[in-house]
Amino acid sequence: MLIEVKNLVKEYRNEDVITSVLRGLNFEIKKGEFVSIMGPSGSGKSTLMHILGLLDRPTSGVYKFDGRNTENLDDNELAMMRNEKIGFVFQAFNLLPRTNVLENVKLPLLYSKKKIDAETRAKKVLESVGLGHRLEYFTNQISGGEKQRVAIARALVNEPEIIFADEPTGNLDSKSGIQVMEIFQKLNDAGHTIILVTHETATAEYADRIIKIRDGEIVGDEKVHNKRRGDGNGQLK
Amino acid sequence: MINFVKQCAKASLASLLANKTRSFLTMLGIIIGVAAVIIIMSLGAGAQNLIISQIKSFGTNKIGILPGKADSNGPPASALGIVITSLKFEDAQALRNNPNIPHLSGVVAYDNSSETLNYQNASYTTSVQGASGDYFTVEGGDLADGRFFTDAEEQATAHVVVLGDTVKNELFGDSPAVGANIKIRNHIFQVIGVMKKRGTILVQNYDDMVIIPNQTMRKTVLGIDYLNFIRATVDNESNMAETVAEIKEVLRTRHAITDQSGSSDDFNVRNSADALALITTVTNALKFFLAAMAGLSLLVGGIGIMNIMLVAVNERTREIGLRKAVGASNANIILQFLIETIIITTLGGLIGIIVGALISFLASLIIKSLGYDWNFSISPSSVIMALGVSATIGLIFGIYPASKASRLEPVEALRYE
């Protein structure tokens, strides 16, 4: 089991006022799954993704990642786990300004303890997302869809166990959005575990399984029967 | 690790170049501070060399014997207008060619006074020096015309005078002076020689003076029986301490002083080597004091940089969040911001050194054009010090912003708008 969550609670305390964001979640995600976490804004889906992605800690409950209880890991160990086992794709791309595409993708390798030829590896990953011709471009010189593909390449460069995508199509036009989702499906077909966070049913349906969240509680966890697929040209089949 | 530092350096250089105006303004404090330190060190070294070369041209083998008790820290008593009569012509004679003071190469006894000289209708006021002994050995210089007076003329209280170059020109113009008679206090003196033009060394103008035998000065002109001072030379600077001790011993014996501690002495012995050492110490202290004052502006520059870095940390919150999300540890973030600050201050330091050197060089050209013997110099130690101080300032003032950046929670940082 890659992800095991038991009674996961997250509360924010602000001068004696306690806000519950996640109220005792329980679920498991296996290696190789493509799961959407879906819910309206304020449902706690982003908070859940941050905890699952080891960017944040739960208030209580158990979170086992790759068989390891994450409760006792210190900041440095969490940073190392994020570096080696997790890749993130954000809605706003979060690319470094004034830096070219290749350097952006090399960034996680800068913090890696592994001995990898960063240049070769980053070029290979960029070619796999169809950006082999944009290596020297600066991030302000490419389109939104290309930016998100750079972000995906960056998430892949360290060969992570799992990729978290937080509203990856939120800032994209529909064609670019479909292209990005196609890449995720291709990666999943190749064996990557992917967790997609979104508020749109249409986007969520690219996955095999949807976990629905509302007000910090799971209100549904079901398989997708009519999985969406792109035709490879940014159109739906 | 090395790769990480290299990448950070590369990235921060790129961001410095991307914001040229802002980078320049950020560095300005450091640039001005370092330039000020370099200029002061350079001009200070130039001024120091000028003073020291003056003393060296005067000679570091000189000994001065003055009447009155030694107070090596204060000015000689005579400079305060106090007349002390304890030093006699016989003292100078006893020192001269004394087998107990083997390294004393020359002795001159002095009585000086400012007098008005008359020749026909011309008159000119100058320093009259009653100087007897080994004049050329001690003072140097050379005759342009005629001859110097002899020991025999000295003993005979002869009325003879050797003119300095300025005096000769004032009284005689282009016509020859040797053989003419001039008047000093209505005593007639025969001009027997004229000195070559020599200029001013330290405070003494060797051209604006005349020399007469000491005996004549004391007995005929001033009517006194004591010396103003004795000036002597040692054959080699390394024999200075030994010779000074021997002089003191001879004079104590002559003046019947049994106390060897020096506190009962009625004379004092000074030497130019000590003066040189003292002046070097004083000018060094002055130079470093001024440099330290200029260094204060580096502190102000450092605070300015800390301010800018705090703003930069704020601006780059999302970048920090992203770096943490892809695996940067707190130490990685600290190191990145420290490297950036150090690069800014060191680069500012480098520019400051260039600006400072340029200004010092221009200043040296101007000073040279005013006729001073001035050397432009930038010591490698001041350059290394300036760079070291700039880098250290980057380190010190970079730590706070860097640690602030590293303490950002990744989630908060990613969410920051």
Side-chain angles (χ1 to χ4, degrees):
Chain A
M1 211 50 73
L2 188 59
I3 284 176
E4 284 180 76
V5 171
K6 282 197 189 106
N7 291 321
L8 195 77
V9 172
K10 180 70 180 178
E11 291 168 345
Y12 289 104
R13 189 183 289 268
N14 192 359
E15 290 181 9
D16 296 335
V17 181
I18 296 173
T19 315
S20 283
V21 181
L22 299 175
R23 309 161 189 253
L25 305 187
N26 291 285
F27 62 89
E28 294 178 342
I29 292 170
K30 287 196 279 290
K31 220 169 242 185
E33 275 196 82
F34 188 168
V35 182
S36 286
I37 296 175
M38 195 178 89
S41 64
S43 59
K45 60 185 189 304
S46 285
T47 304
L48 177 60
M49 189 207 87
H50 289 145
I51 291 172
L52 296 181
L54 302 176
L55 290 167
D56 204 355
R57 293 168 190 268
T59 310
S60 67
V62 177
Y63 171 33
K64 281 190 186 168
F65 179 85
D66 209 10
R68 250 179 116 179
N69 194 331
T70 58
E71 193 182 339
N72 301 319
L73 298 175
D74 68 22
D75 283 356
N76 280 335
E77 287 168 317
L78 289 179
M80 208 166 19
M81 297 264 282
R82 288 196 297 268
N83 184 245
E84 292 176 357
K85 306 204 161 174
I86 297 172
F88 290 100
V89 177
F90 301 99
Q91 178 175 1
F93 321 126
N94 289 52
L95 301 178
L96 295 183
R98 297 184 298 273
T99 309
N100 70 25
V101 165
L102 187 62
E103 292 298 323
N104 262 287
V105 173
K106 278 162 72 181
L107 186 66
L109 297 172
L110 184 59
Y111 304 112
S112 174
K113 300 263 186 299
K114 292 186 217 157
K115 295 243 176 289
I116 305 173
D117 180 359
E119 191 93 3
T120 316
R121 173 97 191 109
K123 277 182 187 165
K124 213 179 116 192
V125 178
L126 275 165
E127 272 160 25
S128 78
V129 297
L131 287 175
H133 59 300
R134 291 275 192 262
L135 300 181
E136 304 294 328
Y137 280 60
F138 283 83
T139 49
N140 57 347
Q141 296 170 322
I142 56 178
S143 72
E146 287 174 325
K147 279 182 191 169
Q148 201 57 300
R149 275 146 69 194
V150 173
I152 293 170
R154 183 179 63 196
L156 287 171
V157 77
N158 252 353
E159 298 179 316
E161 297 280 345
I162 187 165
I163 293 170
F164 290 95
D166 188 0
E167 304 275 12
T169 59
N171 283 5
L172 300 179
D173 60 83
S174 63
K175 187 177 168 183
S176 303
I178 292 167
Q179 281 175 340
V180 163
M181 293 317 296
E182 277 170 6
I183 292 175
F184 282 125
Q185 282 185 332
K186 233 189 280 172
L187 290 170
N188 180 241
D189 292 344
H192 285 93
T193 312
I194 293 166
I195 296 186
L196 175 75
V197 174
T198 182
H199 66 281
E200 294 171 338
T201 317
T203 310
E205 284 176 347
Y206 283 90
D208 301 310
R209 173 183 165 196
I210 299 180
I211 298 175
K212 288 183 179 158
I213 296 192
R214 185 178 291 269
D215 298 331
E217 286 172 15
I218 293 178
V219 294
D221 185 346
E222 53 209 30
K223 277 209 160 308
V224 176
H225 298 295
N226 277 325
K227 191 172 166 180
R228 280 173 180 256
R229 281 207 174 264
D231 65 353
N233 287 311
Q235 301 294 326
L236 287 174
K237 268 185 186 169
Chain B
M1 175 71 188
I2 291 164
N3 181 45
F4 180 77
V5 171
K6 225 165 75 186
Q7 292 294 326
C8 287
K10 218 171 107 183
S12 61
L13 275 178
S15 86
L16 281 178
L17 286 176
N19 291 306
K20 287 193 191 68
T21 313
R22 178 167 154 182
S23 307
F24 174 72
L25 289 175
T26 307
M27 288 183 217
L28 198 57
I30 298 289
I31 294 174
I32 291 173
V34 168
V37 171
I38 293 288
I39 291 167
I40 284 170
M41 294 300 280
S42 173
L43 294 189
Q48 195 174 26
N49 284 338
L50 189 68
I51 294 168
I52 289 171
S53 73
Q54 285 268 303
I55 294 178
K56 282 192 176 152
S57 70
F58 175 69
T60 50
N61 62 338
K62 297 267 164 74
I63 297 174
I65 303 160
L66 293 103
K69 196 171 130 182
D71 178 7
S72 50
N73 294 323
S78 54
L80 300 173
I82 301 163
V83 178
I84 299 172
T85 61
S86 56
L87 202 61
K88 308 292 186 192
F89 184 68
E90 290 71 25
D91 290 331
Q93 280 181 310
L95 294 174
R96 199 176 171 198
N97 301 323
N98 187 324
N100 292 328
I101 321 175
H103 297 296
L104 203 64
S105 54
V107 177
V108 180
Y110 277 98
D111 279 292
N112 296 347
S113 173
S114 182
E115 302 291 343
T116 302
L117 277 49
N118 294 296
Y119 173 68
Q120 292 172 351
N121 292 327
S123 77
Y124 184 67
T125 302
T126 187
S127 167
V128 176
Q129 311 212 326
S132 283
D134 315 299
Y135 186 85
F136 290 108
T137 309
V138 174
E139 300 289 0
D142 212 349
L143 284 164
D145 194 10
R147 62 178 181 87
F148 207 77
F149 46 83
T150 61
D151 282 358
E153 283 170 317
E154 165 77 41
Q155 276 149 24
T157 327
H159 287 198
V160 288
V161 63
V162 177
L163 305 182
D165 182 70
T166 307
V167 180
K168 188 258 170 193
N169 286 333
E170 288 289 338
L171 293 180
F172 294 92
D174 289 335
S175 33
V178 175
N181 286 335
I182 63 166
K183 274 187 186 169
I184 304 173
R185 283 204 191 178
N186 288 323
H187 302 287
I188 292 168
F189 282 76
Q190 188 189 13
V191 177
I192 57 168
V194 175
M195 300 293 283
K196 268 187 185 155
K197 189 173 173 63
R198 217 178 144 191
T200 300
I201 296 174
L202 281 182
V203 292
Q204 181 153 357
N205 184 337
Y206 279 92
D207 299 327
D208 193 2
M209 57 169 234
V210 299
I211 309 161
I212 64 173
N214 181 268
Q215 187 110 312
T216 316
M217 183 70 175
R218 272 181 294 120
K219 292 187 172 164
T220 312
V221 180
L222 297 174
I224 56 173
D225 69 339
Y226 56 87
L227 297 181
N228 286 159
F229 59 90
I230 298 169
R231 198 175 274 169
T233 48
V234 287
D235 54 5
N236 190 309
E237 207 187 312
S238 58
N239 298 319
M240 184 64 85
E242 184 192 335
T243 304
V244 167
E246 288 161 356
I247 290 171
K248 285 180 176 171
E249 206 180 314
V250 168
L251 290 179
R252 278 177 195 140
T253 310
R254 284 188 51 80
H255 295 191
I257 297 163
T258 49
D259 181 1
Q260 296 298 310
S261 73
S263 55
S264 307
D265 285 358
D266 58 1
F267 60 89
N268 67 86
V269 183
R270 293 158 183 251
N271 70 71
S272 54
D274 285 355
L276 180 65
L278 182 72
I279 285 176
T280 307
T281 312
V282 169
T283 49
N284 264 338
L286 204 65
K287 197 168 70 176
F288 286 116
F289 171 73
L290 287 173
M293 296 305 291
L296 270 183
S297 63
L298 282 176
L299 202 69
V300 178
I303 292 168
I305 282 175
M306 179 161 72
N307 195 16
I308 297 280
M309 288 311 287
L310 284 172
V311 172
V313 166
N314 223 14
E315 264 183 5
R316 288 162 63 183
T317 300
R318 280 168 68 93
E319 177 196 324
I320 294 162
L322 173 83
R323 285 177 184 271
K324 286 196 160 189
V326 300
S329 65
N330 291 356
N332 288 144
I333 300 289
I334 288 191
L335 199 57
Q336 180 195 339
F337 277 88
L338 267 189
I339 288 169
E340 284 193 24
T341 322
I342 290 172
I343 281 181
I344 291 176
T345 54
T346 309
L347 210 61
L350 267 175
I351 297 173
I353 287 169
I354 293 166
V355 170
L358 222 63
I359 294 177
S360 304
F361 181 68
L362 286 178
S364 78
L365 288 186
I366 294 169
I367 295 169
K368 259 186 209 159
S369 75
L370 294 176
Y372 290 93
D373 177 24
W374 187 274
N375 286 319
F376 166 70
S377 78
I378 299 271
S379 71
S381 68
S382 68
V383 169
I384 291 167
M385 196 184 73
L387 275 182
V389 167
S390 323
T392 310
I393 280 175
L395 194 66
I396 292 169
F397 291 102
I399 279 175
Y400 177 59
S403 78
K404 206 176 165 213
S406 79
R407 284 197 307 268
L408 287 170
E409 286 296 329
V411 173
E412 297 300 320
L414 280 168
R415 239 183 244 148
Y416 185 86
E417 293 296 335

